[in-house]
């Protein structure tokens, strides 16, 4: 078993990625007291300097020779949460190479593309927001190395050289960062190492897809360390356009990340991180499934075929070539300064971060050669954040606490252009400037009582202030004339106190129960699509939810059978929802607040090591949700009334008791067989699977307004030496070549689905030192 511990602990790319999970982090952290929150941080992230500096210089070699643990995150088994924690090895093995892929490895999680682009919307336990303009706070906040990204698109391309990922459901913001209603997705990147390590991997697959990764890390001086990592993704175009005679959807993306760590003394740690990403990838073409112009039926194409159009007038308007294909033209960069100081009784940490992005996306939202849903958007934005935190030293002390403040500021210039000339006979463009700042203060405390009972409580106060201004919509007519409508600025202020309280009971050394109540908060915002009247800019209200969760964590048979579970219920108020409203000019898209709704469900995570060479993982998620108070516009009745009276006046339907959407059942798991070969090598083979049930895209919807259920199966086999100097892998995703759809939405004349990729068969070779 020693060879397995070398493979699991040593830094390297090989088969398992350009991520590096350092041995001192795992080996040392899992020996700390089980109730230490500091231990969880050290174990779940890449190695932090505090544990590294406190272990002897020879500890790394000692840990490498230690016995292999069947399951990771032993310390987290004593934490009162239902977070899904993922190692970099698992991410690579399951083909998790972008944010959307995370739904393959976490229960009740949906991450869906906006119109086939790299922009994603997050939904966790049924809570989420369909924000195609990306100018509002996501219901599930993405983080990169403890920095919040309210503009989620700015995190694109960052899933490489990882140390781990955490998916945390429910109200958050009591121990770090910003408050939110749905939860968090946290990416932790690998830190510099104390000794020299490096590696590279090349992944070649079907449709000429190529993924290249590398990293190099080591000391520059006795107290100065660095890490440089990068990736490049190319090819993979599997959709064919008959009208253009070419394949569509090829990736063309590159990214770099550099870290410099300075330890001026035994108590101080300073880390500077910089990253850059450029994305010129083609987007996935949509598949039209409902046509609102029945006199012109849509062409029916095979699954892997799709079309698009680019009118010369539209290309001239947006300043792009007439042969432009649906694609991204994005560049993001940023820098983070993290400083911490051991004060003896606590650790003081400061995290300062600046991120900037320039995004340009062209999509064809009707999936035909018509000019009925072509869209081009530009986002120029920047994010600045500052967090200051004071945290108790952890260890075995019964009292643990953390207090902190988080400030976030965003500036965004955005413009949208639409070609609907086949329906409206003109082109449109809407532009605006949005500014926002958030100030959050939080505190959390836990105390361990006799009888192995721990009580905990947290509080967060958050104030969010945002303004939208310089809003203008231009209409470009075929005769060359232009008209411009300008609108007054709007503001929205959110101010809320949220809380968390609960208890956990360590009934046995390998069995823990917990219960908690928590309240979440998400600021309001603006509808910022094609603005036609001032009323469209009226801000929607903040949303809140009150969550109840009871769960358990158990290692029923240590290193053989682990089972964790949670039961949850969320009472939702003023849920933010993309709907439509009737205004004097017609029926227009607008975010509304659903006064009252609820979601409940259950989750289980099982890990089994029944035989010496067999490893099985299974996630199970089931949830239901209903709208309790919700009056929504009836478009059919409202349109009929307008035809009879000539007046646009809303007629509303009662959706009380309607299903709140989202897949009710999510399953994902894997089974692996690992066998030592000739005493110097290891062979591993396995399969993985994912199932998602039907998803309603609108209340009481059916047919084209529901995404069909789907099942995915993958497989892999890997051969590597015990010292992990190299590895060779053959794999397949969507092994059964199923046809399925990942998300759906609506444009002026079309309801469309986003198809998922077909079967990919590939090979990966990696070397490391």
């Amino acid at each position: 078993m020693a060879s397995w511990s070398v493979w699991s602990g040593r830094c390297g790319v090989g088969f398992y990625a350009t991520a590096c999970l350092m041995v001192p982090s795992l080996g040392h952290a899992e020996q700390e007291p089980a109730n230490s929150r500091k231990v969880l941080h050290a174990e779940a992230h890449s190695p932090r300097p505090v544990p590294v500096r406190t272990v002897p210089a020879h500890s790394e070699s000692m840990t490498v020779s230690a016995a292999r643990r069947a399951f990771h995150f032993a310390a987290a088994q004593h934490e009162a949460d239902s977070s899904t924690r993922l190692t970099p090895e698992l991410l690579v093995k399951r083909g998790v190479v972008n944010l959307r892929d995370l739904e393959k490895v976490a229960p009740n999680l949906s991450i869906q593309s906006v119109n086939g682009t790299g922009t994603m919307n997050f939904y966790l336990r049924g809570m989420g927001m369909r924000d195609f303009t990306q100018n509002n706070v996501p219901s599930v906040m993405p983080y990169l190395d403890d920095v919040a990204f309210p503009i989620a698109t700015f995190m694109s391309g960052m899933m490489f050289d990882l140390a781990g990922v955490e998916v945390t459901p429910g109200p958050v913001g009591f121990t770090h960062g910003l408050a939110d209603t749905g939860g968090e997705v946290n990416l932790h990147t690998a830190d510099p190492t104390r000794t020299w390590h490096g590696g590279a991997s090349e992944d070649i697959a079907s449709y000429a897809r190529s993924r290249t990764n590398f990293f190099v890390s080591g000391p520059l001086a006795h107290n100065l360390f660095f890490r440089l990592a990068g990736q490049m993704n190319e090819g993979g175009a599997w959709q064919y356009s008959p009208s253009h005679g070419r394949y569509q959807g090829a990736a063309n993306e590159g990214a770099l990340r550099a870290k410099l760590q300075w330890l001026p003394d035994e108590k101080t740690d300073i880390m500077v991180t910089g990253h850059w990403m450029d994305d010129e990838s083609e987007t996935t073409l949509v598949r039209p499934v409902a046509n609102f112009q029945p006199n012109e039926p849509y062409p029916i194409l095979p699954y892997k075929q799709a079309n698009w159009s680019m009118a010369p007038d539209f290309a001239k308007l947006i300043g792009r070539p007439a042969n432009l294909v649906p694609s991204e033209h994005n560049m993001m960069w940023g820098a983070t300064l993290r400083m911490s100081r051991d004060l003896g009784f606590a650790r003081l940490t400061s995290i300062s971060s600046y991120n900037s992005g320039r995004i340009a996306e062209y999509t064809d939202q009707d999936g035909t050669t018509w000019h009925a849903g072509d869209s081009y958007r530009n986002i120029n934005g920047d994010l600045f954040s500052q967090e200051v935190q004071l945290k108790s030293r952890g260890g075995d002390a019964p009292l643990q606490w953390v207090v902190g403040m988080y400030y976030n500021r965003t500036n965004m210039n955005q413009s949208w252009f639409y070609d609907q000339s086949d329906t409206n006979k003109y082109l449109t463009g809407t532009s605006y400037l949005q500014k926002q700042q958030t100030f959050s203060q939080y505190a959390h405390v836990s105390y361990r009582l006799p009888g192995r009972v721990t009580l905990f409580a947290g509080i967060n106060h958050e104030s969010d202030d945002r303004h939208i201004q310089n809003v203008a919509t231009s209409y470009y007519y075929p005769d060359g004339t232009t008209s411009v409508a300008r609108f007054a600025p709007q503001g929205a202020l959110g101010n809320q106190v949220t809380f968390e309280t609960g208890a956990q009971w360590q009934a046995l050394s390998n069995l823990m129960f917990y219960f908690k109540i928590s309240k979440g908060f998400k600021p309001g915002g603006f509808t910022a699509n094609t603005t036609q009247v001032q009323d469209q800019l009226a801000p929607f209200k903040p949303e809140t939810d009150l969550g109840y969760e009871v769960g358990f964590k158990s290692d029923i048979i240590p290193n053989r059978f682990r089972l964790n579970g949670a039961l949850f219920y969320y009472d939702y108020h003023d849920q933010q929802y993309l709907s439509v409203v009737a205004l004097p000019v017609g029926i227009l898209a607008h975010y509304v607040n659903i006064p009252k709704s609820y979601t409940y469900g259950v989750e289980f995570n099982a890990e089994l090591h029944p035989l010496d060479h067999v490893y099985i993982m299974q996630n199970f998620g089931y949830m239901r949700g209903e709208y309790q108070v919700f009056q929504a516009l009836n478009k059919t009745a409202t349109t009929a009334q307008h035809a009879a009276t000539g007046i646009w006046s809303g007629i509303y339907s009662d959706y009380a008791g309607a299903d709140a959407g989202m897949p009710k059942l999510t399953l994902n798991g894997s089974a692996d067989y690992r066998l030592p070969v000739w005493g110097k090598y290891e062979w591993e083979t396995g399969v993985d699977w994912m199932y998602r049930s039907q998803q309603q895209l609108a209340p009481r919807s059916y047919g084209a307004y529901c995404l069909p259920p789907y099942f995915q199966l993958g497989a892999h086999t890997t051969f590597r030496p015990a010292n992990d100097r190299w590895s060779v892998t053959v794999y397949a995703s969507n092994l059964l070549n199923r046809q399925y759809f990942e998300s759906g939405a609506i444009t002026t004349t079309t309801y469309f689905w986003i198809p998922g990729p077909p079967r990919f068969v590939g090979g990966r070779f990696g070397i490391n030192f």
Side-chain angles (χ1 to χ4, degrees):
M1 300 301 288
S3 64
W4 201 95
S5 68
V6 172
W7 162 78
S8 65
R10 185 175 177 82
C11 295
V13 184
F15 159 63
Y16 280 105
T18 59
C20 171
L21 195 60
M22 284 290 290
V23 171
S25 171
L26 282 173
H28 180 68
E30 292 195 347
Q31 300 174 30
E32 292 282 353
N35 62 350
S36 170
R37 292 183 181 270
K38 172 183 171 183
V39 168
L40 173 61
H41 180 81
E43 185 182 25
H45 296 54
S46 63
R48 297 301 183 193
V50 175
V52 171
R53 291 199 301 268
T54 57
V55 295
H58 61 277
S59 63
E60 183 170 350
S61 60
M62 291 177 61
T63 306
V64 169
S65 62
R68 173 183 183 178
R69 290 180 179 270
F71 308 137
H72 294 280
F73 308 113
Q77 287 297 100
H78 306 276
E79 294 292 321
D81 62 36
S82 52
S83 298
T84 299
R85 296 172 172 86
L86 306 165
T87 66
E89 296 92 347
L90 176 65
L91 295 173
V92 174
K93 184 164 56 178
R94 296 290 298 275
V96 179
V97 296
N98 55 49
L99 285 171
R100 192 191 175 277
D101 290 335
L102 286 173
E103 66 180 27
K104 298 178 182 179
V105 288
N108 288 327
L109 174 66
S110 294
I111 304 178
Q112 299 183 333
S113 168
V114 177
N115 301 341
T117 68
T119 300
M120 300 294 166
N121 287 325
F122 298 78
Y123 305 85
L124 189 53
R125 289 183 174 176
M127 292 180 286
M129 180 183 186
R130 183 152 61 96
D131 185 9
F132 61 93
T133 52
Q134 292 287 293
N135 68 307
N136 299 295
V137 175
S139 300
V140 180
M141 184 68 69
Y143 283 81
L144 179 66
D145 287 334
D146 302 319
V147 175
F149 278 70
I151 304 177
T153 308
F154 283 12
M155 263 184 56
S156 299
M158 290 294 102
M159 288 201 64
F160 67 98
D161 196 39
L162 295 178
V165 175
E166 295 176 23
V167 179
T168 302
V172 291
F174 311 110
T175 60
H176 68 278
L178 298 172
D180 216 334
T181 49
E184 301 172 349
V185 174
N186 300 274
L187 307 186
H188 307 294
T189 63
D191 283 349
T193 57
R194 303 302 178 266
T195 55
W196 284 98
H197 294 285
S201 69
E202 179 62 34
D203 186 324
I204 303 295
S206 309
Y207 304 96
R209 190 183 70 189
S210 171
R211 294 171 177 162
T212 306
N213 291 271
F214 78 90
F215 86 95
V216 59
S217 177
L220 298 176
H222 75 282
N223 61 351
L224 188 65
F225 311 90
F226 89 103
R227 187 181 189 97
L228 178 66
Q231 72 166 357
M232 179 174 291
N233 299 324
E234 297 179 304
W238 58 270
Q239 288 183 303
Y240 182 78
S241 171
S243 62
H244 292 78
R246 71 183 301 275
Y247 281 89
Q248 164 71 14
N252 183 11
E253 176 188 76
L256 289 171
R257 182 186 300 119
K259 288 189 173 185
L260 186 64
Q261 186 176 35
W262 179 37
L263 307 178
D265 56 51
E266 289 295 315
K267 296 184 177 181
T268 307
D269 174 20
I270 300 174
M271 179 93 73
V272 179
T273 302
H275 69 264
W276 168 89
M277 194 278 287
D278 182 71
D279 187 2
E280 302 292 325
S281 302
E282 299 170 355
T283 63
T284 302
L285 297 174
V286 308
R287 184 179 183 87
V289 292
N291 178 17
F292 303 143
Q293 290 185 311
N295 59 319
E296 298 183 45
Y298 281 145
I300 300 176
L301 297 176
Y303 181 77
K304 293 194 291 184
Q305 292 188 12
N307 279 320
W308 77 87
S309 61
M310 169 64 85
D313 288 347
F314 191 62
K316 182 178 179 181
L317 175 64
I318 64 176
R320 301 306 301 268
N323 62 350
L324 180 68
V325 303
S327 52
E328 310 272 3
H329 305 278
N330 308 336
M331 181 178 293
M332 275 81 81
W333 63 273
T336 300
L337 172 63
R338 182 187 186 108
M339 301 182 291
S340 65
R341 175 76 177 179
D342 188 349
L343 304 179
F345 71 98
R347 175 163 286 271
L348 179 64
T349 301
S350 170
I351 305 175
S352 308
S353 183
Y354 176 82
N355 291 277
S356 182
R358 305 293 181 265
I359 297 171
E361 293 177 336
Y362 164 48
T363 57
D364 188 311
Q365 298 173 26
D366 58 56
T368 70
T369 56
W370 300 349
H371 303 138
D374 293 12
S375 170
Y376 187 82
R377 75 166 178 177
N378 285 300
I379 300 178
N380 293 331
D382 59 77
L383 309 171
F384 171 78
S385 65
Q386 173 65 57
E387 182 169 20
V388 178
Q389 181 185 96
L390 188 64
K391 187 175 184 179
S392 60
R393 296 189 64 185
D396 212 13
L399 178 65
Q400 302 292 324
W401 54 268
V402 58
V403 295
M405 297 180 293
Y406 196 101
Y407 173 77
N408 176 78
R409 186 199 68 215
T410 66
N411 293 312
M412 174 191 295
N413 281 288
Q414 187 165 167
S415 58
W416 284 76
F417 298 91
Y418 283 96
D419 181 358
Q420 301 169 356
S421 54
D422 281 348
T423 55
N424 294 333
K425 308 306 179 185
Y426 54 76
L427 311 177
T428 61
T430 297
S431 60
Y432 63 88
L433 168 65
Q434 181 170 308
K435 296 184 177 183
Q436 169 269 335
Q437 62 178 356
T438 304
F439 186 51
S440 175
Q441 313 95 52
Y442 57 84
H444 195 277
V445 62
S446 66
Y447 189 79
R448 188 176 67 249
L449 300 171
R452 295 188 290 189
V453 173
T454 300
L455 304 179
F456 58 88
I459 191 170
N460 177 290
H461 171 260
E462 184 166 299
S463 177
D464 180 271
D465 184 17
R466 58 187 59 222
H467 300 269
I468 188 169
Q469 57 196 62
N470 300 340
V471 183
T473 296
S474 301
Y475 300 86
Y476 306 91
Y477 298 99
D479 61 3
T481 61
T482 302
S483 64
V484 181
R486 303 186 187 279
F487 304 96
Q490 288 279 1
L493 178 64
N495 197 359
Q496 187 74 237
V497 174
T498 58
F499 68 89
E500 175 187 71
T501 184
Q504 68 181 82
W505 174 41
Q506 194 69 46
L508 301 170
S509 61
N510 59 346
L511 176 62
M512 184 270 288
F513 297 94
Y514 70 91
F515 170 75
K516 63 179 178 181
I517 303 174
S518 53
K519 180 182 179 181
F521 166 74
K522 177 179 179 293
F526 308 101
T527 306
N529 56 347
T530 302
T531 306
Q532 299 184 43
V533 294
Q534 183 69 41
D535 288 346
Q536 278 183 275
L537 294 177
F540 52 85
K541 297 186 294 185
E543 69 179 21
T544 62
D545 64 332
L546 187 63
Y548 304 85
E549 181 174 321
V550 59
F552 70 92
K553 294 184 177 182
S554 65
D555 285 296
I556 297 176
I557 305 176
N559 269 336
R560 291 290 183 180
F561 181 25
R562 172 180 289 178
L563 180 64
N564 299 337
L567 180 68
F568 58 87
Y569 177 91
Y570 295 109
D571 188 12
Y572 226 163
H573 292 266
D574 293 320
Q575 177 183 354
Q576 298 164 1
Y577 181 82
L578 180 60
S579 184
V580 291
V581 295
L583 297 172
V585 296
I587 297 175
L588 302 175
H590 197 276
Y591 288 104
V592 301
N593 291 97
I594 299 174
K596 189 170 175 57
S597 59
Y598 69 85
T599 301
Y600 67 88
V602 63
E603 293 173 356
F604 290 101
N605 166 262
E607 297 183 69
L608 294 90
H609 179 29
L611 303 172
D612 284 346
H613 306 296
V614 178
Y615 299 84
I616 301 172
M617 298 180 63
Q618 178 64 58
N619 287 322
F620 171 91
Y622 178 82
M623 62 183 177
R624 294 293 302 270
E626 287 188 1
Y627 303 122
Q628 295 171 282
V629 180
F630 183 25
Q631 298 284 327
L633 185 76
N634 186 318
K635 291 191 293 184
T636 302
T638 300
T639 302
Q641 177 178 266
H642 173 263
T645 65
I647 299 174
W648 287 107
S649 178
I651 298 176
Y652 292 83
S653 298
D654 187 1
Y655 285 94
D659 189 276
M662 289 289 101
K664 294 179 176 62
L665 179 64
T666 58
L667 303 171
N668 54 70
S670 62
D672 295 301
Y673 183 80
R674 302 166 188 156
L675 182 68
V677 179
W678 305 315
K680 296 181 179 180
Y681 301 92
E682 182 176 78
W683 171 68
E684 175 179 0
T685 190
V687 295
D688 57 81
W689 54 85
M690 178 181 71
Y691 173 79
R692 300 177 67 79
S693 63
Q694 175 181 280
Q695 176 183 343
Q696 291 187 3
L697 298 174
R700 295 189 180 132
S701 59
Y702 58 91
Y705 302 95
C706 293
L707 286 179
Y710 64 88
F711 173 78
Q712 295 287 291
L713 183 68
H716 73 274
T717 185
T718 297
F719 188 74
R720 58 178 164 261
N723 62 14
D724 200 30
R725 295 297 186 188
W726 55 266
S727 65
V728 178
T729 299
V730 178
Y731 66 89
S733 60
N734 192 6
L735 185 62
L736 304 178
N737 205 26
R738 295 290 184 90
Q739 299 181 8
Y740 67 102
F741 300 91
E742 300 175 342
S743 62
I746 188 173
T747 189
T748 306
T749 62
T750 310
Y751 209 93
F752 59 83
W753 292 344
I754 307 296
R759 176 171 53 228
F760 273 75
V761 177
R764 181 167 51 244
F765 175 72
I767 57 173
N768 64 86
F769 61 87

